Amino acid sequence: MEFKCVKKLTELKNGCDAALQQIENRSYIDEPIEEGCRHIIKYGICFIRSYAR
């Protein structure tokens, strides 16, 4: 799982895509695969950061 925060609702999809891309770029799943895991689910989760005023 990788989490991202964005400032606008319109940026949510790009944030999720960036989270999934980070999982790939940093090879987060390599070790579980080497240890024999066959089924891996990758989650890219994005939140909207709101500031209380």
Side-chain angles (χ1 to χ4, degrees):
M1 275 189 261
E2 182 60 34
F3 299 91
K4 297 291 182 190
C5 287
V6 294
K7 294 180 181 179
K8 298 178 183 178
L9 181 63
T10 56
E11 298 172 344
L12 276 176
K13 179 163 181 351
N14 288 339
C16 290
D17 291 342
L20 290 170
Q21 190 62 49
Q22 182 172 333
I23 292 170
E24 292 295 322
N25 290 345
R26 296 194 180 174
S27 304
Y28 292 162
I29 63 169
D30 288 356
E31 187 175 338
I33 289 173
E34 290 170 6
E35 292 183 10
C37 291
R38 293 188 205 177
H39 303 287
I40 296 175
I41 299 172
K42 299 177 274 186
Y43 289 95
I45 300 170
C46 191
F47 299 93
I48 298 174
R49 179 179 291 175
S50 62
Y51 297 100
R53 294 180 191 223

Short mmCIF file of all heavy atoms in Angstrom, two decimals:
data_model
loop_
_atom_site.label_atom_id
_atom_site.label_comp_id
_atom_site.label_asym_id
_atom_site.label_seq_id
_atom_site.Cartn_x
_atom_site.Cartn_y
_atom_site.Cartn_z
N MET A 1 0.84 -1.18 0.00
CA MET A 1 0.00 0.00 0.00
C MET A 1 0.88 1.24 0.00
O MET A 1 1.92 1.27 0.66
CB MET A 1 -0.86 0.04 1.26
CG MET A 1 -2.12 -0.74 1.16
SD MET A 1 -3.17 -0.43 2.57
CE MET A 1 -2.76 -1.85 3.52
N GLU A 2 0.44 2.20 -0.75
CA GLU A 2 1.11 3.50 -0.75
C GLU A 2 0.03 4.57 -0.67
O GLU A 2 -1.00 4.45 -1.32
CB GLU A 2 1.95 3.68 -2.02
CG GLU A 2 2.71 4.96 -2.10
CD GLU A 2 3.72 5.17 -0.98
OE1 GLU A 2 4.30 4.19 -0.50
OE2 GLU A 2 3.90 6.32 -0.57
N PHE A 3 0.27 5.57 0.15
CA PHE A 3 -0.70 6.63 0.38
C PHE A 3 -0.16 7.96 -0.13
O PHE A 3 1.04 8.24 0.01
CB PHE A 3 -1.00 6.77 1.87
CG PHE A 3 -1.60 5.53 2.47
CD1 PHE A 3 -0.80 4.56 3.03
CD2 PHE A 3 -2.97 5.34 2.46
CE1 PHE A 3 -1.34 3.42 3.59
CE2 PHE A 3 -3.52 4.20 3.01
CZ PHE A 3 -2.70 3.24 3.58
N LYS A 4 -1.04 8.75 -0.69
CA LYS A 4 -0.69 10.10 -1.15
C LYS A 4 -1.78 11.06 -0.68
O LYS A 4 -2.93 10.67 -0.46
CB LYS A 4 -0.62 10.17 -2.68
CG LYS A 4 0.45 9.30 -3.30
CD LYS A 4 1.82 9.82 -2.99
CE LYS A 4 2.88 8.97 -3.67
NZ LYS A 4 4.20 9.30 -3.21
N CYS A 5 -1.40 12.34 -0.55
CA CYS A 5 -2.35 13.41 -0.24
C CYS A 5 -2.32 14.43 -1.36
O CYS A 5 -1.26 14.73 -1.90
CB CYS A 5 -1.98 14.10 1.06
SG CYS A 5 -2.30 13.13 2.52
N VAL A 6 -3.48 14.95 -1.69
CA VAL A 6 -3.58 16.02 -2.69
C VAL A 6 -4.40 17.15 -2.09
O VAL A 6 -5.05 17.00 -1.06
CB VAL A 6 -4.22 15.51 -4.00
CG1 VAL A 6 -3.32 14.49 -4.69
CG2 VAL A 6 -5.60 14.95 -3.77
N LYS A 7 -4.40 18.28 -2.76
CA LYS A 7 -5.11 19.45 -2.25
C LYS A 7 -6.49 19.62 -2.88
O LYS A 7 -7.34 20.30 -2.31
CB LYS A 7 -4.29 20.71 -2.49
CG LYS A 7 -3.01 20.73 -1.69
CD LYS A 7 -2.22 21.99 -1.95
CE LYS A 7 -0.93 21.97 -1.15
NZ LYS A 7 -0.13 23.17 -1.41
N LYS A 8 -6.72 19.02 -4.05
CA LYS A 8 -7.98 19.23 -4.76
C LYS A 8 -8.61 17.90 -5.18
O LYS A 8 -7.89 16.94 -5.48
CB LYS A 8 -7.75 20.06 -6.02
CG LYS A 8 -7.22 21.43 -5.77
CD LYS A 8 -6.97 22.15 -7.09
CE LYS A 8 -6.36 23.51 -6.85
NZ LYS A 8 -6.09 24.18 -8.12
N LEU A 9 -9.91 17.88 -5.23
CA LEU A 9 -10.65 16.69 -5.65
C LEU A 9 -10.24 16.24 -7.05
O LEU A 9 -10.12 15.04 -7.32
CB LEU A 9 -12.16 16.98 -5.62
CG LEU A 9 -13.09 15.85 -6.01
CD1 LEU A 9 -12.96 14.68 -5.04
CD2 LEU A 9 -14.52 16.33 -6.06
N THR A 10 -9.96 17.19 -7.92
CA THR A 10 -9.60 16.86 -9.30
C THR A 10 -8.23 16.18 -9.41
O THR A 10 -7.89 15.65 -10.46
CB THR A 10 -9.59 18.13 -10.17
OG1 THR A 10 -8.70 19.09 -9.59
CG2 THR A 10 -10.98 18.73 -10.27
N GLU A 11 -7.45 16.17 -8.32
CA GLU A 11 -6.12 15.56 -8.33
C GLU A 11 -6.12 14.13 -7.78
O GLU A 11 -5.07 13.49 -7.75
CB GLU A 11 -5.16 16.42 -7.51
CG GLU A 11 -4.98 17.83 -8.05
CD GLU A 11 -4.19 18.73 -7.11
OE1 GLU A 11 -4.03 18.37 -5.93
OE2 GLU A 11 -3.73 19.78 -7.57
N LEU A 12 -7.28 13.63 -7.35
CA LEU A 12 -7.33 12.31 -6.71
C LEU A 12 -6.82 11.19 -7.60
O LEU A 12 -6.01 10.36 -7.18
CB LEU A 12 -8.76 11.98 -6.26
CG LEU A 12 -9.17 12.53 -4.90
CD1 LEU A 12 -10.64 12.21 -4.64
CD2 LEU A 12 -8.31 11.99 -3.79
N LYS A 13 -7.28 11.13 -8.84
CA LYS A 13 -6.86 10.05 -9.73
C LYS A 13 -5.36 10.08 -9.97
O LYS A 13 -4.69 9.05 -9.90
CB LYS A 13 -7.60 10.08 -11.06
CG LYS A 13 -7.13 8.96 -11.97
CD LYS A 13 -8.05 8.67 -13.09
CE LYS A 13 -7.64 7.55 -14.00
NZ LYS A 13 -6.34 6.95 -13.89
N ASN A 14 -4.82 11.27 -10.19
CA ASN A 14 -3.37 11.38 -10.40
C ASN A 14 -2.60 10.96 -9.15
O ASN A 14 -1.53 10.36 -9.25
CB ASN A 14 -2.99 12.80 -10.79
CG ASN A 14 -3.41 13.14 -12.20
OD1 ASN A 14 -3.64 12.26 -13.02
ND2 ASN A 14 -3.54 14.42 -12.49
N GLY A 15 -3.14 11.26 -7.98
CA GLY A 15 -2.51 10.84 -6.74
C GLY A 15 -2.47 9.33 -6.60
O GLY A 15 -1.46 8.76 -6.18
N CYS A 16 -3.58 8.67 -6.94
CA CYS A 16 -3.61 7.21 -6.90
C CYS A 16 -2.63 6.61 -7.89
O CYS A 16 -1.92 5.65 -7.58
CB CYS A 16 -5.02 6.70 -7.19
SG CYS A 16 -6.20 7.04 -5.87
N ASP A 17 -2.59 7.18 -9.09
CA ASP A 17 -1.65 6.70 -10.10
C ASP A 17 -0.20 6.87 -9.63
O ASP A 17 0.63 5.99 -9.83
CB ASP A 17 -1.86 7.43 -11.42
CG ASP A 17 -3.18 7.08 -12.10
OD1 ASP A 17 -3.78 6.03 -11.76
OD2 ASP A 17 -3.62 7.85 -12.98
N ALA A 18 0.09 8.00 -8.98
CA ALA A 18 1.44 8.25 -8.48
C ALA A 18 1.80 7.25 -7.38
O ALA A 18 2.94 6.78 -7.31
CB ALA A 18 1.55 9.68 -7.94
N ALA A 19 0.83 6.91 -6.55
CA ALA A 19 1.08 5.93 -5.49
C ALA A 19 1.41 4.57 -6.09
O ALA A 19 2.36 3.90 -5.67
CB ALA A 19 -0.12 5.83 -4.57
N LEU A 20 0.64 4.14 -7.08
CA LEU A 20 0.91 2.85 -7.74
C LEU A 20 2.26 2.87 -8.46
O LEU A 20 3.00 1.89 -8.44
CB LEU A 20 -0.21 2.50 -8.72
CG LEU A 20 -1.54 2.13 -8.07
CD1 LEU A 20 -2.63 2.03 -9.14
CD2 LEU A 20 -1.42 0.83 -7.30
N GLN A 21 2.58 3.99 -9.07
CA GLN A 21 3.87 4.11 -9.77
C GLN A 21 5.03 4.01 -8.78
O GLN A 21 6.05 3.41 -9.07
CB GLN A 21 3.94 5.42 -10.55
CG GLN A 21 5.13 5.50 -11.47
CD GLN A 21 5.11 4.43 -12.53
OE1 GLN A 21 4.12 4.22 -13.20
NE2 GLN A 21 6.20 3.71 -12.68
N GLN A 22 4.85 4.59 -7.59
CA GLN A 22 5.91 4.51 -6.57
C GLN A 22 6.13 3.07 -6.13
O GLN A 22 7.27 2.65 -5.91
CB GLN A 22 5.56 5.38 -5.37
CG GLN A 22 6.65 5.37 -4.32
CD GLN A 22 6.42 6.37 -3.23
OE1 GLN A 22 5.77 7.39 -3.42
NE2 GLN A 22 6.94 6.09 -2.04
N ILE A 23 5.06 2.30 -6.01
CA ILE A 23 5.20 0.88 -5.66
C ILE A 23 6.07 0.17 -6.69
O ILE A 23 6.95 -0.62 -6.34
CB ILE A 23 3.81 0.20 -5.55
CG1 ILE A 23 3.05 0.76 -4.35
CG2 ILE A 23 3.94 -1.31 -5.46
CD1 ILE A 23 1.59 0.35 -4.28
N GLU A 24 5.84 0.47 -7.95
CA GLU A 24 6.64 -0.13 -9.02
C GLU A 24 8.08 0.38 -9.01
O GLU A 24 9.03 -0.40 -9.06
CB GLU A 24 6.01 0.16 -10.39
CG GLU A 24 4.69 -0.53 -10.62
CD GLU A 24 4.82 -2.04 -10.67
OE1 GLU A 24 5.82 -2.56 -11.22
OE2 GLU A 24 3.92 -2.71 -10.14
N ASN A 25 8.26 1.70 -8.94
CA ASN A 25 9.59 2.30 -9.03
C ASN A 25 10.51 1.87 -7.90
O ASN A 25 11.72 1.72 -8.09
CB ASN A 25 9.49 3.82 -9.04
CG ASN A 25 8.90 4.35 -10.32
OD1 ASN A 25 8.79 3.65 -11.32
ND2 ASN A 25 8.47 5.60 -10.29
N ARG A 26 9.95 1.68 -6.72
CA ARG A 26 10.78 1.33 -5.56
C ARG A 26 10.79 -0.17 -5.27
O ARG A 26 11.31 -0.60 -4.26
CB ARG A 26 10.31 2.11 -4.34
CG ARG A 26 10.50 3.61 -4.55
CD ARG A 26 10.38 4.37 -3.29
NE ARG A 26 10.59 5.80 -3.53
CZ ARG A 26 10.43 6.70 -2.62
NH1 ARG A 26 10.08 6.38 -1.39
NH2 ARG A 26 10.63 7.97 -2.90
N SER A 27 10.20 -0.94 -6.18
CA SER A 27 10.25 -2.41 -6.11
C SER A 27 9.77 -2.96 -4.77
O SER A 27 10.36 -3.88 -4.21
CB SER A 27 11.68 -2.90 -6.40
OG SER A 27 12.13 -2.42 -7.64
N TYR A 28 8.68 -2.40 -4.25
CA TYR A 28 8.16 -2.84 -2.96
C TYR A 28 7.73 -4.31 -2.95
O TYR A 28 7.70 -4.93 -1.90
CB TYR A 28 6.96 -1.99 -2.54
CG TYR A 28 7.26 -0.55 -2.20
CD1 TYR A 28 6.26 0.40 -2.16
CD2 TYR A 28 8.55 -0.13 -1.89
CE1 TYR A 28 6.51 1.72 -1.83
CE2 TYR A 28 8.81 1.20 -1.57
CZ TYR A 28 7.78 2.11 -1.53
OH TYR A 28 8.05 3.41 -1.20
N ILE A 29 7.39 -4.85 -4.10
CA ILE A 29 6.89 -6.24 -4.12
C ILE A 29 7.98 -7.27 -4.40
O ILE A 29 7.71 -8.46 -4.33
CB ILE A 29 5.73 -6.41 -5.12
CG1 ILE A 29 6.18 -6.14 -6.54
CG2 ILE A 29 4.56 -5.53 -4.73
CD1 ILE A 29 5.16 -6.54 -7.58
N ASP A 30 9.19 -6.84 -4.67
CA ASP A 30 10.25 -7.80 -4.99
C ASP A 30 10.52 -8.79 -3.86
O ASP A 30 10.64 -9.99 -4.09
CB ASP A 30 11.54 -7.07 -5.36
CG ASP A 30 11.46 -6.40 -6.71
OD1 ASP A 30 10.44 -6.57 -7.41
OD2 ASP A 30 12.43 -5.70 -7.08
N GLU A 31 10.63 -8.30 -2.64
CA GLU A 31 10.94 -9.19 -1.52
C GLU A 31 9.83 -10.23 -1.26
O GLU A 31 10.14 -11.41 -1.13
CB GLU A 31 11.21 -8.39 -0.25
CG GLU A 31 11.70 -9.26 0.90
CD GLU A 31 12.09 -8.45 2.11
OE1 GLU A 31 12.39 -7.24 1.97
OE2 GLU A 31 12.11 -9.03 3.20
N PRO A 32 8.56 -9.83 -1.22
CA PRO A 32 7.52 -10.85 -1.05
C PRO A 32 7.52 -11.90 -2.16
O PRO A 32 7.30 -13.09 -1.91
CB PRO A 32 6.22 -10.06 -1.05
CG PRO A 32 6.61 -8.68 -0.64
CD PRO A 32 7.99 -8.48 -1.16
N ILE A 33 7.82 -11.48 -3.39
CA ILE A 33 7.88 -12.44 -4.50
C ILE A 33 9.04 -13.41 -4.29
O ILE A 33 8.89 -14.61 -4.47
CB ILE A 33 8.02 -11.70 -5.85
CG1 ILE A 33 6.70 -11.00 -6.20
CG2 ILE A 33 8.42 -12.66 -6.96
CD1 ILE A 33 6.76 -10.11 -7.41
N GLU A 34 10.18 -12.88 -3.86
CA GLU A 34 11.35 -13.73 -3.60
C GLU A 34 11.08 -14.73 -2.48
O GLU A 34 11.64 -15.82 -2.45
CB GLU A 34 12.56 -12.87 -3.25
CG GLU A 34 13.11 -12.10 -4.44
CD GLU A 34 14.16 -11.08 -4.04
OE1 GLU A 34 14.56 -11.04 -2.86
OE2 GLU A 34 14.56 -10.30 -4.93
N GLU A 35 10.19 -14.36 -1.55
CA GLU A 35 9.87 -15.24 -0.43
C GLU A 35 8.74 -16.22 -0.77
O GLU A 35 8.30 -16.97 0.09
CB GLU A 35 9.52 -14.42 0.80
CG GLU A 35 10.73 -13.68 1.34
CD GLU A 35 10.43 -12.90 2.60
OE1 GLU A 35 9.34 -13.07 3.18
OE2 GLU A 35 11.30 -12.12 3.02
N GLY A 36 8.26 -16.17 -2.00
CA GLY A 36 7.30 -17.15 -2.45
C GLY A 36 5.85 -16.71 -2.54
O GLY A 36 4.98 -17.53 -2.84
N CYS A 37 5.56 -15.45 -2.29
CA CYS A 37 4.18 -14.97 -2.42
C CYS A 37 3.78 -15.00 -3.89
O CYS A 37 4.52 -14.54 -4.75
CB CYS A 37 4.05 -13.56 -1.88
SG CYS A 37 4.22 -13.44 -0.11
N ARG A 38 2.62 -15.56 -4.15
CA ARG A 38 2.16 -15.66 -5.54
C ARG A 38 1.10 -14.62 -5.88
O ARG A 38 0.98 -14.21 -7.02
CB ARG A 38 1.57 -17.04 -5.78
CG ARG A 38 2.57 -18.14 -5.71
CD ARG A 38 1.93 -19.40 -6.14
NE ARG A 38 2.61 -20.55 -5.54
CZ ARG A 38 2.23 -21.78 -5.70
NH1 ARG A 38 1.18 -22.05 -6.42
NH2 ARG A 38 2.89 -22.76 -5.14
N HIS A 39 0.30 -14.25 -4.90
CA HIS A 39 -0.80 -13.32 -5.15
C HIS A 39 -0.53 -12.03 -4.38
O HIS A 39 -0.56 -12.02 -3.16
CB HIS A 39 -2.12 -13.93 -4.70
CG HIS A 39 -2.41 -15.23 -5.37
ND1 HIS A 39 -2.79 -15.32 -6.69
CD2 HIS A 39 -2.34 -16.50 -4.92
CE1 HIS A 39 -2.96 -16.59 -7.01
NE2 HIS A 39 -2.69 -17.33 -5.95
N ILE A 40 -0.28 -10.99 -5.13
CA ILE A 40 0.02 -9.70 -4.52
C ILE A 40 -0.96 -8.68 -5.08
O ILE A 40 -1.15 -8.58 -6.29
CB ILE A 40 1.46 -9.26 -4.81
CG1 ILE A 40 2.42 -10.26 -4.16
CG2 ILE A 40 1.70 -7.85 -4.30
CD1 ILE A 40 3.86 -10.03 -4.47
N ILE A 41 -1.57 -7.94 -4.18
CA ILE A 41 -2.49 -6.86 -4.57
C ILE A 41 -1.84 -5.55 -4.17
O ILE A 41 -1.43 -5.38 -3.02
CB ILE A 41 -3.86 -7.02 -3.89
CG1 ILE A 41 -4.50 -8.34 -4.30
CG2 ILE A 41 -4.77 -5.84 -4.25
CD1 ILE A 41 -5.76 -8.68 -3.54
N LYS A 42 -1.74 -4.63 -5.13
CA LYS A 42 -1.14 -3.32 -4.87
C LYS A 42 -2.25 -2.28 -4.75
O LYS A 42 -3.15 -2.23 -5.59
CB LYS A 42 -0.19 -2.94 -6.00
CG LYS A 42 0.96 -3.91 -6.17
CD LYS A 42 1.83 -3.56 -7.34
CE LYS A 42 1.25 -4.18 -8.58
NZ LYS A 42 2.07 -4.03 -9.76
N TYR A 43 -2.19 -1.49 -3.70
CA TYR A 43 -3.17 -0.44 -3.47
C TYR A 43 -2.49 0.92 -3.51
O TYR A 43 -1.50 1.13 -2.81
CB TYR A 43 -3.83 -0.58 -2.10
CG TYR A 43 -4.78 -1.74 -1.98
CD1 TYR A 43 -4.35 -2.95 -1.46
CD2 TYR A 43 -6.10 -1.63 -2.39
CE1 TYR A 43 -5.21 -4.03 -1.34
CE2 TYR A 43 -6.97 -2.70 -2.27
CZ TYR A 43 -6.52 -3.89 -1.75
OH TYR A 43 -7.37 -4.95 -1.63
N GLY A 44 -3.02 1.83 -4.30
CA GLY A 44 -2.59 3.23 -4.30
C GLY A 44 -3.77 4.04 -3.80
O GLY A 44 -4.81 4.11 -4.45
N ILE A 45 -3.63 4.63 -2.62
CA ILE A 45 -4.73 5.32 -1.97
C ILE A 45 -4.39 6.80 -1.86
O ILE A 45 -3.28 7.17 -1.47
CB ILE A 45 -4.99 4.72 -0.58
CG1 ILE A 45 -5.34 3.23 -0.73
CG2 ILE A 45 -6.09 5.47 0.15
CD1 ILE A 45 -5.37 2.46 0.55
N CYS A 46 -5.36 7.64 -2.18
CA CYS A 46 -5.13 9.07 -2.17
C CYS A 46 -6.23 9.76 -1.35
O CYS A 46 -7.40 9.40 -1.45
CB CYS A 46 -5.12 9.60 -3.60
SG CYS A 46 -4.56 11.29 -3.72
N PHE A 47 -5.82 10.73 -0.56
CA PHE A 47 -6.72 11.51 0.28
C PHE A 47 -6.64 12.97 -0.11
O PHE A 47 -5.62 13.42 -0.61
CB PHE A 47 -6.32 11.40 1.76
CG PHE A 47 -6.36 10.01 2.29
CD1 PHE A 47 -5.23 9.20 2.27
CD2 PHE A 47 -7.54 9.49 2.80
CE1 PHE A 47 -5.26 7.92 2.78
CE2 PHE A 47 -7.58 8.20 3.30
CZ PHE A 47 -6.45 7.42 3.29
N ILE A 48 -7.71 13.69 0.17
CA ILE A 48 -7.70 15.14 0.00
C ILE A 48 -7.31 15.74 1.33
O ILE A 48 -7.93 15.45 2.36
CB ILE A 48 -9.05 15.69 -0.44
CG1 ILE A 48 -9.43 15.12 -1.81
CG2 ILE A 48 -9.03 17.21 -0.47
CD1 ILE A 48 -10.81 15.50 -2.26
N ARG A 49 -6.25 16.51 1.33
CA ARG A 49 -5.81 17.18 2.55
C ARG A 49 -6.62 18.45 2.73
O ARG A 49 -6.67 19.30 1.85
CB ARG A 49 -4.33 17.54 2.43
CG ARG A 49 -3.81 18.25 3.67
CD ARG A 49 -2.36 18.55 3.53
NE ARG A 49 -1.65 17.27 3.57
CZ ARG A 49 -0.35 17.14 3.39
NH1 ARG A 49 0.38 18.19 3.10
NH2 ARG A 49 0.23 15.97 3.45
N SER A 50 -7.29 18.54 3.86
CA SER A 50 -8.05 19.77 4.15
C SER A 50 -7.42 20.47 5.34
O SER A 50 -6.89 19.82 6.25
CB SER A 50 -9.51 19.44 4.43
OG SER A 50 -9.61 18.61 5.56
N TYR A 51 -7.47 21.74 5.32
CA TYR A 51 -6.89 22.54 6.39
C TYR A 51 -8.02 23.22 7.15
O TYR A 51 -8.82 23.93 6.57
CB TYR A 51 -5.94 23.60 5.81
CG TYR A 51 -4.77 23.00 5.09
CD1 TYR A 51 -4.77 22.91 3.70
CD2 TYR A 51 -3.67 22.51 5.79
CE1 TYR A 51 -3.70 22.33 3.04
CE2 TYR A 51 -2.60 21.95 5.12
CZ TYR A 51 -2.62 21.86 3.74
OH TYR A 51 -1.56 21.31 3.09
N ALA A 52 -8.04 23.00 8.46
CA ALA A 52 -9.05 23.67 9.29
C ALA A 52 -8.66 25.15 9.42
O ALA A 52 -7.50 25.47 9.62
CB ALA A 52 -9.11 23.03 10.67
N ARG A 53 -9.64 25.99 9.31
CA ARG A 53 -9.36 27.44 9.41
C ARG A 53 -10.15 28.04 10.50
O ARG A 53 -11.15 27.71 10.89
CB ARG A 53 -9.69 28.13 8.10
CG ARG A 53 -8.76 27.64 7.02
CD ARG A 53 -9.08 28.31 5.72
NE ARG A 53 -8.35 27.62 4.68
CZ ARG A 53 -7.72 28.21 3.73
NH1 ARG A 53 -7.75 29.51 3.63
NH2 ARG A 53 -7.07 27.54 2.84
#
